[in-house]
Amino acid sequence: MQKKNRIILALDVTSRADAMRIVEAVKGYVDAIKINWPLVLATGPDIIREMSRVKDVICDFKIADIPNTNKLIVEQAMSRGASAVICHGFTGDDSVKACVDAAKGQVFVVTEMSHPGGKQFTAPVADKLATLAKSAGARGIVAPATRPERIAALRKIIGGLEIISPGVGAQGGKASDAIRAGADYIIVGRAIYDAPDPGGAAKALADEVKEGM
Ligand code: 3DU
């Protein structure tokens, strides 16, 4: 994925027509498309291939199972054109390594989650999850734009790994704060796809990202 606008679109819509319309409007302002269960369950797994023809696709399946099941899930995503996947780390190093092997390293591990409940169970172990991501050979981590100070702290643990950061807009985080704290990319869903003018909203965020650089 080309690091240009530093925005990953979270395409959490549930119709193919909406997905196509939004991607057409914003493709000049985002570097990748993140696909989660709502879109895949609504339209079928071939949407991964279809979107991958427009932009790099990250499959955010929050994979969290035993190593063999993780491997099977990752193989299905990658064979349909995904460039990377997102997995949980609380399942342990063998499960994360199974994802890393199956995705040839193209894995982001969830650390502290961005929503309020993320403080309950994920925040206390986030540093350990970041350490695990590094030792397992992952490409990067997912860290909260709603708590930029945590992005900065996790950056110190992972060094040069990538940070992709959800929580901008609808969850209250600011794009420029997340980038300034050390995020490589912000992940944005509703603030783009629910906007009356998704293209304009994505452009405004791209401008704001530049402010944070
Ligand atoms: O809040 P938004 O609409 O901008 O969407 C955020 C996306 O990022 C959404 O797909 C969600 O599943 C994902 N995500 C988080 O919001 C928080 C995390 O800690 C990890 C992923």
Side-chain angles (χ1 to χ4, degrees):
M1 121 175 117
Q2 200 196 355
K3 197 170 174 180
K4 191 175 156 221
N5 294 297
R6 302 176 65 168
I7 299 173
I8 297 168
L9 171 68
L11 194 53
D12 297 327
V13 295
T14 51
S15 89
R16 188 182 168 278
D18 283 347
M20 298 313 287
R21 174 180 57 80
I22 290 153
V23 164
E24 268 310 303
V26 311
K27 66 184 181 190
Y29 305 111
V30 304
D31 296 332
I33 301 168
K34 186 177 80 66
I35 292 182
N36 202 329
W37 290 114
L39 183 61
V40 169
L41 293 174
T43 63
D46 289 343
I47 196 77
I48 300 169
R49 172 76 58 206
E50 203 166 345
M51 291 298 157
S52 74
R53 293 195 184 107
V54 187
K55 288 278 162 186
D56 282 327
V57 168
I58 301 174
C59 280
D60 182 6
F61 294 157
K62 304 248 173 29
I63 306 161
D65 216 310
I66 60 168
N68 185 60
T69 309
N70 277 5
K71 167 179 159 287
L72 294 171
I73 294 168
V74 173
E75 283 172 356
Q76 287 302 314
M78 301 306 279
S79 72
R80 287 181 163 81
S83 297
V85 296
I86 295 177
C87 76
H88 270 299
F90 64 78
T91 48
D93 55 6
D94 53 350
S95 286
V96 173
K97 278 191 191 123
C99 292
V100 170
D101 289 346
K104 300 192 170 59
Q106 298 304 306
V107 172
F108 295 93
V109 179
V110 176
T111 59
E112 179 171 329
M113 295 190 76
S114 58
H115 63 310
K119 283 189 173 174
Q120 209 174 348
F121 295 109
T122 61
V125 294
D127 292 6
K128 282 188 182 170
L129 295 169
T131 304
L132 166 57
K134 198 171 178 193
S135 65
R139 173 172 170 176
I141 61 168
V142 186
T146 46
R147 293 174 217 112
E149 71 284 2
R150 293 296 298 143
I151 297 176
L154 291 162
R155 166 63 72 203
K156 288 194 185 125
I157 296 171
I158 60 163
L161 260 59
E162 285 184 328
I163 297 180
I164 60 176
S165 187
V168 168
Q171 296 183 50
K174 261 185 73 67
S176 50
D177 289 349
I179 295 292
R180 217 172 279 126
D184 293 284
Y185 299 89
I186 52 163
I187 296 170
V188 187
R190 286 165 287 179
I192 293 177
Y193 66 73
D194 275 347
D197 169 15
K203 181 181 183 311
L205 280 161
D207 291 342
E208 196 196 325
V209 163
K210 286 194 195 105
E211 274 172 41
M213 284 160 60

